Amino acid sequence: MRLLETLPNGDFRLTKKSPDNAIPPYAILSHTWGDASQEVTFEDMVQGSGKNKAGYKKIRFCGEQASRDGLQYLWVDSCCIMKSSDSELSESINSMFQWYQRAEKCYVYLADVSTTKRKRGTEDVQDTWEQAFRESRWFTRGWTLQELVAPVSVQFFSLEGEPLGDKRLLEKELHEITDIDVRALQGDPLPNFTVPDRMSWAKKRQTTRQEDKAYSLLGIFGIYMPLIYGEGEENSFRRLREAIRTANDLPSNASPLDNVPRREVAHFVPRVEEQKVLNGWLQSRTPSQMIVLQGMGGSGKTQLALQCCQIARESGFVATFWINASSPVTVTQSYRSISRIISPGIDVGNDEGETISLVQIQIKKWTGRWLLVFDNYNNPNSFRQRAIRDYIPGQGGHVIFTSRHKDSSRLGLTMDLSRMTEDEGNRLLLHFIPDSKNSEAGEVVALLGYLALAIDQA
């Protein structure tokens, strides 16, 4: 992935291509193309030209908004892809859903929605932007479907760069305009939705090149396939449908299965050393034990587990599944959700045993790596009738438990997250009291014994 770096003078510089594990936090632009000759290209950026083009206004807006949000890097499709390279173009299109998904912020720039006054006849008329928003060309384009669904944070802006609202605030309007299921807008994993449902989201959308009607759906279905411009719309959709059928028959590294929630944990402070250990464990091809992330609320258990899921996806795991382990009932509910993802044509009804058995049998067939996260395993005593270990499908994957209960340490290697380092404690406290000095924060953190929950509640 290649990014734009915002320089101190407000100009932009293309970075070198970086591997996935070395990409800094970035913002991403979603927009509709105008006259192609007025869009800033990769070559323009390399040569330091293009500032006189109309499309430069969108890039400048994205950079300025990213800076306000504390982000130095941004990605814009018109100028961050070397489209003269067929291999780079193919790689970019196949990766684009993930790029939007990983962005810290997605800014939707609506060039046909204005918030300013205009004069009609002899009267000043205050235009409301709501109707223009509903009629925006952005909602009719093929590529913007994934740009709406993939990112966690999507913010809409007018022609003037004025904020109109985000995906959560405008959820009702977005559903009415696009017919996309509200749950998908809220971040539910796309495999939870049927193939016909996902296809229907794109039926009213158009693309400039006919093959792109299919190629713009690759990320929606978790599919990777080579681009063949010139094959036509019919052939491109035939290959897409065949790839979807193949992916549904057997999980592969190219189509990971996933029900992991896309959410951020407030005031999370990275646990650097613990993350290094977990990264090494995830890269092991023969995991010999489970890992327990143990600590009180606010200690970073959930966010560490979410980061592990992200690493697993990027490392080619065939599946990453999130299980609510609060009780046997919630575990069964999670397994029922997973069964609909891995065996969409099989309905086991409300039979608990059949549901769990179906998931275990299917996962045992897989040759690739998988990750299960049992979150909130805080009440081991509720699993007396069926031990928590009995839910785990064999020895072929990685399993993480998050728990507050001390007895959970019997399950495997345990990371105690109850205490933080001085630096981690200072950063957590400064989230709540940003005007404090480091020395003052250090004294408070020391008095609280470097306990994450104590710092959080203080």
Side-chain angles (χ1 to χ4, degrees):
M1 187 182 193
R2 186 186 290 109
L3 297 169
L4 287 177
E5 179 184 6
T6 304
L7 301 176
N9 64 358
D11 287 344
F12 303 100
R13 175 175 60 198
L14 278 169
T15 67
K16 295 181 180 180
K17 291 185 71 175
S18 301
D20 286 348
N21 61 0
I23 297 173
Y26 62 92
I28 201 163
L29 179 68
S30 177
H31 66 114
T32 56
W33 282 47
D35 182 348
S37 67
Q38 288 299 307
E39 296 291 345
V40 180
T41 65
F42 172 81
E43 288 74 19
D44 288 331
M45 280 295 175
V46 171
Q47 298 166 10
S49 59
K51 291 183 179 181
N52 60 334
K53 291 185 174 182
Y56 193 81
K57 177 182 178 182
K58 295 181 284 191
I59 299 173
R60 186 172 62 249
F61 154 77
C62 185
E64 291 173 351
Q65 185 61 43
S67 295
R68 283 191 285 271
D69 288 331
L71 297 168
Q72 186 178 357
Y73 297 91
L74 54 144
W75 188 87
V76 181
D77 59 350
S78 62
C79 59
C80 290
I81 303 172
M82 186 167 62
K83 298 179 179 65
S84 59
S85 167
D86 290 342
S87 62
E88 180 168 331
L89 179 61
S90 180
E91 177 189 1
S92 298
I93 287 179
N94 275 285
S95 303
M96 206 168 291
F97 185 93
Q98 286 77 22
W99 291 351
Y100 275 88
Q101 190 176 59
R102 296 171 189 163
E104 299 290 322
K105 302 282 185 180
C106 175
Y107 307 134
V108 179
Y109 182 82
L110 301 176
D112 53 359
V113 178
S114 176
T115 54
T116 61
K117 291 182 178 181
R118 72 181 182 189
K119 185 168 288 188
R120 184 179 296 155
T122 59
E123 298 180 0
D124 285 335
V125 179
Q126 175 67 57
D127 275 346
T128 58
W129 57 264
E130 287 88 346
Q131 188 59 35
F133 179 80
R134 289 178 175 273
E135 297 172 354
S136 176
R137 180 170 173 260
W138 188 85
F139 292 109
T140 71
R141 307 307 296 167
W143 291 107
T144 57
L145 171 59
Q146 66 179 4
E147 295 165 15
L148 172 61
V149 172
V152 172
S153 174
V154 180
Q155 300 173 327
F156 294 86
F157 294 86
S158 71
L159 170 66
E160 299 81 18
E162 294 295 323
L164 305 176
D166 61 18
K167 186 162 61 170
R168 292 182 181 179
L169 179 66
L170 300 170
E171 183 180 280
K172 179 176 180 290
E173 291 81 358
L174 293 172
H175 168 65
E176 292 171 352
I177 297 167
T178 65
D179 290 327
I180 297 173
D181 194 302
V182 169
R183 293 173 301 152
L185 295 173
Q186 293 172 341
D188 271 23
L190 295 186
N192 287 358
F193 304 92
T194 67
V195 171
D197 282 343
R198 282 178 275 172
M199 283 288 188
S200 71
W201 301 341
K203 64 183 179 182
K204 298 178 182 179
R205 295 173 178 264
Q206 302 297 321
T207 56
T208 302
R209 303 184 73 166
Q210 55 182 325
E211 295 88 357
D212 282 341
K213 292 187 73 173
Y215 300 161
S216 63
L217 297 176
L218 296 180
I220 297 295
F221 293 101
I223 299 299
Y224 289 73
M225 69 183 200
L227 311 185
I228 309 176
Y229 283 109
E231 67 176 325
E233 180 179 337
E234 183 177 346
N235 285 330
S236 60
F237 266 103
R238 176 185 54 77
R239 289 199 298 127
L240 175 63
R241 291 191 181 96
E242 180 59 35
I244 293 171
R245 281 194 292 270
T246 300
N248 285 339
D249 287 341
L250 181 67
S252 70
N253 287 351
S255 55
L257 303 177
D258 185 354
N259 77 333
V260 178
R262 302 295 195 271
R263 66 173 186 261
E264 298 177 355
V265 177
H267 311 308
F268 171 70
V269 172
R271 309 295 290 259
V272 178
E273 294 305 316
E274 289 87 350
Q275 190 65 62
K276 287 180 181 178
V277 173
L278 289 168
N279 290 354
W281 174 72
L282 285 169
Q283 298 309 318
S284 169
R285 293 282 175 173
T286 55
S288 58
Q289 57 187 342
M290 297 172 283
I291 280 190
V292 180
L293 305 180
Q294 190 180 87
M296 298 302 293
S299 59
K301 303 184 301 295
T302 295
Q303 187 64 26
L304 273 174
L306 287 170
Q307 288 180 319
C308 286
C309 292
Q310 178 68 27
I311 293 167
R313 284 191 293 267
E314 296 172 356
S315 300
F317 279 42
V318 299
T320 52
F321 288 136
W322 194 272
I323 297 158
N324 183 347
S326 301
S327 70
V329 172
T330 60
V331 172
T332 301
Q333 290 172 344
S334 296
Y335 268 67
R336 188 170 290 118
S337 172
I338 293 170
S339 72
R340 289 195 291 267
I341 295 174
I342 64 179
S343 300
I346 301 176
D347 183 8
V348 295
N350 294 320
D351 189 308
E352 175 185 345
E354 285 293 323
T355 299
I356 295 167
S357 178
L358 172 65
V359 172
Q360 290 178 331
I361 290 171
Q362 289 296 100
I363 292 180
K364 285 177 182 178
K365 293 179 181 178
W366 299 346
T367 58
R369 294 176 294 164
W370 46 266
L371 170 64
L372 300 183
V373 176
F374 288 80
D375 191 37
N376 290 324
Y377 179 62
N378 301 323
N379 188 13
N381 291 333
S382 66
F383 290 86
R384 289 177 177 174
Q385 187 172 353
R386 183 175 189 144
I388 192 69
R389 288 180 181 273
D390 294 339
Y391 292 91
I392 300 170
Q395 302 294 320
H398 294 68
V399 180
I400 293 174
F401 286 87
T402 71
S403 179
R404 299 182 183 184
H405 202 285
K406 62 181 184 341
D407 288 347
S408 62
S409 60
R410 300 172 183 174
L411 292 169
L413 176 65
T414 300
M415 287 188 174
D416 184 0
L417 303 180
S418 60
R419 294 183 182 274
M420 311 183 87
T421 66
E422 181 178 356
D423 180 62
E424 291 166 347
N426 288 347
R427 282 186 286 164
L428 179 59
L429 186 63
L430 290 172
H431 272 301
F432 299 101
I433 316 174
D435 295 330
S436 299
K437 297 179 181 179
N438 282 334
S439 58
E440 297 172 341
E443 293 175 2
V444 174
V445 168
L447 287 172
L448 295 172
Y450 302 102
L451 293 171
L453 183 61
I455 298 169
D456 183 78
Q457 293 180 343

